[in-house]
Amino acid sequence: MYRYDEFDHQFVRERTAQFRDQAERRLKGELTEDEFRPLRLMNGLYLQLHAYMLRVAIPYGTLSGRQMRQLALIAEKWDKGYGHFTTRQNIQYNWIKLEDTADILAALADVEMHAIQTSGNCIRNVTTDHWAGAAADEISDPRPIGELLRQWSSLHPEFSFLPRKFKIAVTGAPHDRAAVKVHDIGLRMHKSDTGEIGWEVIVGGGQGRTPIVGVTVRDFLPEHELIGYLEAIMRVYNLYGRRDNKYKARIKILVHELGAEKFKSEVEAEYARKPQATTAVEERELKRIEAYFAPPAFEKLPRWSHAFEEAKVKNANFARWARNNLGPHQVEGYTIVNISLKPEGGIPGDASADQMRLMADLAGKYSHDELRVSHAQNIVLAHVKKDDAFTIWQALDAAGLAAANYGLVGDIIACPGLDYCALATARAIPIAQSISRKFADIDKQEEIGPIKLNISGCINACGHHHVGHIGILGLDKKGEEFYQITLGGSSSESASIGTILGPGFAGHQVPDAIEKILDTYLQLRNPGEEFLSAYRRVGAKPFKEALYAAA
Amino acid sequence: MPLLKNNTLISDTWIHVGLDDQLPEAGDVIVPWARLLREFELLSRRTGKLGVVFTNADRAEALATFLPRLSVVVLPFPAFVDGRAYSIARQLRDFGYRGEIRGTGNVLPDQLQFMLQVGFDTFDIGERFPLSAWQAASKQMSLAYQRGLFRRSAEAEIWTERHTDAEPWLEQPHAG
C-alpha cells in the first residue's frame, strides 16, 4: 500500500501545526466560533450533540496493521475505547475534546494518517471498492487513482470553499461496490479493445434530500487527462453551484437545473480553455504511486484447499461463515475475508480498541498487513489464504467478530442518528439493533438471501437509505420519531433510488414491518430470485398490501 | 485603507470611484464593473491607470476583452465561505492577465495562502485581525500538491519536486 515520502510527511506535519495554532486561537478567543467552524471542519472536527466528533480519513478505505493499532490507541487514550467505521470508509470518534485534537492529529501523522477534508465544503476523502486489488472481477486496482486524487484534492487552494461538500468515488471493477453513480463524481474504469485504461466520468449523483443517479459526461477519458478534467468540473461547480440554499447546493442540483447537456458543455468549454500544460508530471506521479500498489507476493496454491474444505465439513458454524463472509479472490487458493461489524444487537460499524488490535494482528499474520474499511461499515482482509481461513475465523469468533451475516439482512448500514448527531431527526442505531434482534435466526437470514437494508436518521441520508434494497428513514413528526420505508434502491452498477412504500411507522413497529415485507418476498419469489430482482419484477403493490391492507 | 502586499502594509494610492461619482481629472481609478461596461471608452481615454471591482456572480469571460487595459481587478468576498473568487482569479490568470488581483471583503488570515496560490497579489485586510496574524498565516504550509499555482519562493510544488531529477523513486523500497 501507499507509503508517505518526505513530502507527504512534511505536508501532514505542517497541517497539524496549522490546526494546533487555529485551535489555540479559538480557545484564546481570537477566532469566533463562526470563523473557526469552517477551519475545524476542514480537519474533520464536528461539534455534535454531546461532544466534538473527529472523523479520521482512511483514504480509499485501506490501512495497515500499524495504522489500525494507532486507531485503537486513539480510541483508548482520547475517546471511550471504541470507534465507529463510517459509510465513507472512515472512522469517527464521538467523544473528543477540542484541547486534545491537535495531539490526536499528531498521533495520526506518526502513522501517515490525517483528518484533512473529512468534513466541510471541500473535496472529501476519496472512496473505492473495498475489494480493490483482490476482487476476481476487477480490471485493475483503482487505488492508485484514489491516492493521486487524495493528493491533488488535499488543501486545493481553488476548491476549499465550495458551495457544499464534494464526494468522489472510484471503481476498477464492472460490478460496482463503490456506489459511483450516487456520488458527486463517480469514476468507473474501462479497458479499450487495445488494452488501454480509461475512465467513465459520472457527475451529479447523490443521496440526501434529492436522491439522483449521476449522468455520464465522458465515456472514456484517458487516464492522464483525469486531473485536468476534474479541475474543469470543479471550477464549473465552484462558480455556478448554488450558494443561496444549502439544500440545493450540491453539484447534482446544478447538473439538474442546467440540464446534463448544458452542464457538460460548460465543463468542456472550461476544459478546452484551460492552458494545456503537459501532463507528464501527473503520468510520472501516477507511475510512482502504482508501484506501491503492486500486488503482494502471492504463493502458488491449488484452487482446492484441503484444510479449508475439511474445516467446513467439521464445523457447521465455520461453514456458514465461509459461505456468507468470503469473497472471490483473483488468485487461486486465496479468498477475501469480510469481517462483519454487525453482531446481533450491536451498533453497526462500531469496534472496540481490542477488536481493532485483533484485526490488525490477523492482517499482519494472514493478509499482508493490510485491512480495508467497506462502505457497508465492515472490515475486509483482502488477501487471505484459504488454508488460513479457519484459524482466522476462530480468532474472530473468540472476539465477537464472527457474525456470519455479511450481505444478509443483519448486515445493516446505519448512521449514528440522534444518539450522537446534531443533524439527526430520529434515532437509527436502536432501529438497527431491534431489526438485527428480530432476525437473530441466521438460518432465516440465509433463507432470505442477499439484501441491503440501510437506515438513515435524517434526510441527509448518511445511512444510504435511498439505495438500500430496503431503506429506512427516521423523521420527526411533532416531536415523535417515525420511520419511512423505501423499497427498490440500489447503489450497484444498475443503481436506482428506492420508492416510498406508504405512511411511516413508529420505531417499535419497524421490525414487524420489515418482517412482513420479507415474508411477502419469500412467498412470491421465483427460485433463486434475490429480493431486489423480485421487487423489480413485481413492483411495490404486494408489499404495500402486506403492510397496509390489514391496518 | 492599507493594503497587504508581500506580507507588508502599503498605502492604497488608487482613487475608488462609485457608479455615479464624478471622475477625477487625473489619477488612477478603480470603478465598479457596471461603470466599466457603461463608460469604457471614456475611462480608456484618461491618462491614469484603470481598475475594476468585479463581482463574483459575473462570468470572468465577460472581463476578458477589457483585461489588456486593466491594471487592477478587485474581487470581493461577500462571505469568507464563498469561494467563487478563487476560481475567478485563476481564470483571469489563465486568460493571461498579469496585472494586480486584489481581494477585499470578508476573508480570514487562514485563507490568505490559498488566495496567494490562485493568483491574488494584494488584500484589503480590514481591522478584524492584527497584521501579525496575516503574516503568520501566509506561510503555514510550505508545500502544495497541486501544479500551476502561484508560489512564494519558499514554497514547493510536491509533484514537480518529486519528478525533477532522475526518477529516484524507482529505487525506493516498496511495501508491496
Side-chain angles (χ1 to χ4, degrees):
Chain A
M1 55 184 278
Y2 187 70
R3 296 299 309 269
Y4 281 11
D5 70 358
E6 59 190 299
F7 296 107
D8 300 307
H9 272 294
Q10 190 183 338
F11 183 88
V12 171
R13 297 255 178 240
E14 287 181 2
R15 181 59 171 165
T16 303
Q18 185 180 35
F19 181 79
R20 192 181 292 279
D21 170 65
Q22 289 166 346
E24 280 168 8
R25 281 153 60 211
R26 172 67 194 124
L27 289 167
K28 281 191 279 188
E30 291 172 19
L31 285 171
T32 66
E33 181 55 27
D34 275 353
E35 289 162 343
F36 183 54
R37 186 187 304 114
L39 304 178
R40 67 169 158 76
L41 288 178
M42 275 192 71
N43 258 305
L45 192 65
Y46 280 80
L47 190 53
Q48 295 274 52
L49 284 177
H50 313 293
Y52 281 98
M53 178 272 275
L54 180 68
R55 184 181 294 147
V56 175
I58 300 174
Y60 33 87
T62 297
L63 74 169
S64 68
R66 177 170 174 245
Q67 291 172 325
M68 184 67 108
R69 280 186 204 94
Q70 192 79 335
L71 295 180
L73 178 105
I74 290 168
E76 280 177 343
K77 193 166 174 187
W78 289 292
D79 202 287
K80 295 188 172 182
Y82 59 91
H84 177 76
F85 291 97
T86 78
T87 53
R88 299 211 71 255
Q89 301 182 297
N90 293 319
I91 184 170
Q92 55 194 48
Y93 298 102
N94 284 312
W95 304 95
I96 295 299
K97 290 193 184 76
L98 174 57
E99 294 85 335
D100 293 333
T101 307
D103 291 338
I104 300 172
L105 296 178
L108 290 168
D110 286 343
V111 295
E112 306 177 14
M113 296 183 85
H114 59 69
I116 297 169
Q117 289 166 217
T118 52
S119 171
N121 293 337
C122 47
I123 302 171
R124 303 289 189 88
N125 184 35
V126 175
T127 55
T128 192
D129 185 349
H130 48 276
W131 289 357
D137 66 336
E138 183 174 270
I139 301 166
S140 182
D141 193 334
R143 291 175 300 167
I145 284 293
E147 174 60 25
L148 190 79
L149 296 180
R150 180 191 76 81
Q151 296 184 19
W152 160 74
S153 62
S154 291
L155 304 191
H156 198 301
E158 187 180 345
F159 306 128
S160 288
F161 295 91
L162 297 168
R164 199 75 178 86
K165 58 188 169 182
F166 203 93
K167 298 175 179 177
I168 302 177
V170 297
T171 181
H175 185 85
D176 179 8
R177 287 170 289 265
V180 298
K181 288 188 175 175
V182 287
H183 278 76
D184 295 289
I185 291 179
L187 299 173
R188 189 170 174 193
M189 187 189 291
H190 293 284
K191 197 176 208 170
S192 74
D193 296 340
T194 53
E196 258 175 290
I197 297 293
W199 292 87
E200 179 182 351
V201 182
I202 301 159
V203 182
Q207 303 192 49
R209 62 186 66 209
T210 317
I212 305 180
V213 173
V215 296
T216 296
V217 293
R218 281 286 190 110
D219 295 316
F220 193 83
L221 183 71
E223 196 158 63
H224 64 272
E225 291 187 48
L226 205 46
I227 296 292
Y229 197 81
L230 292 193
E231 292 229 344
I233 295 174
M234 297 309 302
R235 183 173 289 177
V236 167
Y237 172 56
N238 191 38
L239 286 169
Y240 311 124
R242 285 181 63 173
R243 292 175 187 264
D244 60 326
N245 179 343
K246 76 174 206 173
Y247 300 117
K248 295 183 187 286
R250 296 287 287 273
I251 195 172
K252 63 191 172 188
I253 303 292
L254 179 66
V255 174
H256 183 73
E257 289 183 353
L258 285 180
E261 281 311 307
K262 172 75 175 143
F263 173 82
K264 188 181 165 177
S265 69
E266 289 278 0
V267 170
E268 292 294 338
E270 190 59 47
Y271 187 51
R273 187 162 49 222
K274 277 175 76 71
Q276 295 294 314
T278 166
T279 56
V281 169
E282 281 83 349
E283 288 176 62
R284 291 172 73 181
E285 178 61 15
L286 187 57
K287 286 241 156 25
R288 184 190 76 91
I289 293 170
E290 275 170 355
Y292 288 104
F293 291 95
F298 292 115
E299 292 173 38
K300 252 203 150 8
L301 298 170
R303 183 181 304 179
W304 176 273
S305 159
H306 185 71
F308 178 65
E309 298 303 331
E310 192 177 68
K312 284 198 288 186
V313 172
K314 285 188 175 158
N315 187 316
N317 286 336
F318 171 66
R320 185 198 301 276
W321 178 83
R323 192 159 63 230
N324 295 329
N325 288 46
L326 299 182
H329 198 282
Q330 299 171 353
V331 178
E332 284 188 357
Y334 283 81
T335 186
I336 302 170
V337 168
N338 297 283
I339 304 171
S340 167
L341 297 183
K342 320 289 175 64
E344 181 197 329
I347 297 175
D350 269 19
S352 70
D354 286 339
Q355 288 177 326
M356 289 184 219
R357 284 198 192 93
L358 175 87
M359 293 188 284
D361 289 346
L362 292 174
K365 277 185 203 155
Y366 303 112
S367 191
H368 297 272
D369 199 33
E370 194 187 291
L371 304 105
R372 316 289 181 80
V373 182
S374 80
H375 86 268
Q377 304 177 282
N378 294 312
I379 301 293
V380 175
L381 304 177
H383 305 299
V384 168
K385 283 192 255 182
K386 285 183 182 171
D387 294 346
D388 295 328
F390 183 64
T391 314
I392 290 173
W393 173 79
Q394 286 178 304
L396 291 173
D397 195 31
L401 288 168
N405 57 10
Y406 181 78
L408 302 179
V409 69
D411 185 4
I412 297 167
I413 292 178
C415 72
L418 199 52
D419 291 293
Y420 294 99
C421 179
L423 302 173
T425 44
R427 289 170 301 163
I429 291 169
I431 301 298
Q433 290 171 315
S434 62
I435 293 172
S436 99
R437 287 197 193 97
K438 180 90 189 173
F439 293 94
D441 179 1
I442 188 75
D443 286 325
K444 178 80 185 269
Q445 288 197 40
E446 284 196 296
E447 188 195 354
I448 293 163
I451 191 161
K452 294 191 189 305
L453 194 157
N454 300 351
I455 308 174
S456 302
C458 81
I459 191 65
N460 291 310
C462 297
H464 295 189
H465 67 277
H466 293 300
V467 292
H469 303 168
I470 298 178
I472 299 174
L473 166 63
L475 295 165
D476 174 283
K477 193 161 66 179
K478 295 178 186 140
E480 298 281 325
E481 292 169 307
F482 79 108
Y483 295 86
Q484 254 175 14
I485 297 177
T486 55
L487 295 185
S490 167
S491 64
S492 74
E493 62 282 3
S494 64
S496 55
I497 304 299
T499 312
I500 297 171
L501 211 50
F505 296 89
H508 68 275
Q509 299 171 317
V510 172
D512 285 342
I514 300 303
E515 188 176 46
K516 277 185 194 158
I517 289 167
L518 291 174
D519 284 344
T520 305
Y521 153 68
L522 290 174
Q523 283 160 25
L524 61 75
R525 73 174 168 189
N526 291 328
E529 189 179 40
E530 294 183 4
F531 178 85
L532 183 63
S533 309
Y535 173 81
R536 285 177 173 172
R537 176 174 58 83
V538 303
K541 191 160 171 277
F543 300 100
K544 275 186 188 167
E545 284 171 3
L547 270 188
Y548 300 109
Chain B
M1 194 187 289
L3 288 175
L4 185 71
K5 182 178 183 180
N6 294 332
N7 252 348
T8 51
L9 289 182
I10 59 167
S11 55
D12 184 4
T13 57
W14 290 78
I15 304 164
H16 295 257
V17 181
L19 192 59
D20 298 308
D21 294 348
Q22 171 113 36
L23 267 183
E25 286 294 317
D28 304 335
V29 294
I30 294 177
V31 300
W33 170 229
R35 185 155 189 181
L36 188 83
L37 284 172
R38 192 177 72 195
E39 297 169 21
F40 181 64
E41 283 197 23
L42 176 71
L43 290 162
S44 297
R45 284 199 296 272
R46 295 181 73 259
T47 50
K49 288 190 279 185
L50 181 60
V52 66
V53 181
F54 201 55
T55 81
N56 70 2
D58 279 299
R59 296 179 77 111
E61 299 101 287
L63 201 51
T65 54
F66 302 101
L67 289 176
R69 181 65 184 83
L70 295 175
S71 301
V72 178
V73 177
V74 181
L75 297 177
F77 286 81
F80 63 82
V81 293
D82 185 339
R84 282 176 281 188
Y86 295 92
S87 284
I88 294 172
R90 272 198 116 179
Q91 284 181 315
L92 296 181
R93 295 306 186 202
D94 285 354
F95 294 154
Y97 175 67
R98 289 292 167 261
E100 178 184 333
I101 299 180
R102 182 183 298 186
T104 185
N106 193 343
V107 287
L108 302 178
D110 305 82
Q111 299 175 301
L112 182 60
Q113 200 163 13
F114 285 159
M115 296 169 70
L116 289 165
Q117 287 172 333
V118 296
F120 282 88
D121 307 284
T122 55
F123 307 88
D124 262 333
I125 57 173
E127 281 157 11
R128 169 70 187 86
F129 299 97
L131 177 63
S132 58
W134 294 93
Q135 288 169 331
S138 72
K139 50 189 173 192
Q140 282 185 324
M141 297 297 296
S142 68
L143 299 170
Y145 285 106
Q146 300 77 22
R147 299 208 302 132
L149 302 181
F150 292 83
R151 293 172 290 125
R152 293 175 300 116
S153 56
E155 285 173 35
E157 195 174 76
I158 295 175
W159 288 0
T160 309
E161 292 291 316
R162 271 183 183 145
H163 301 289
T164 43
D165 44 19
E167 311 200 353
W169 47 272
L170 284 178
E171 276 94 53
Q172 280 182 16
H174 292 149

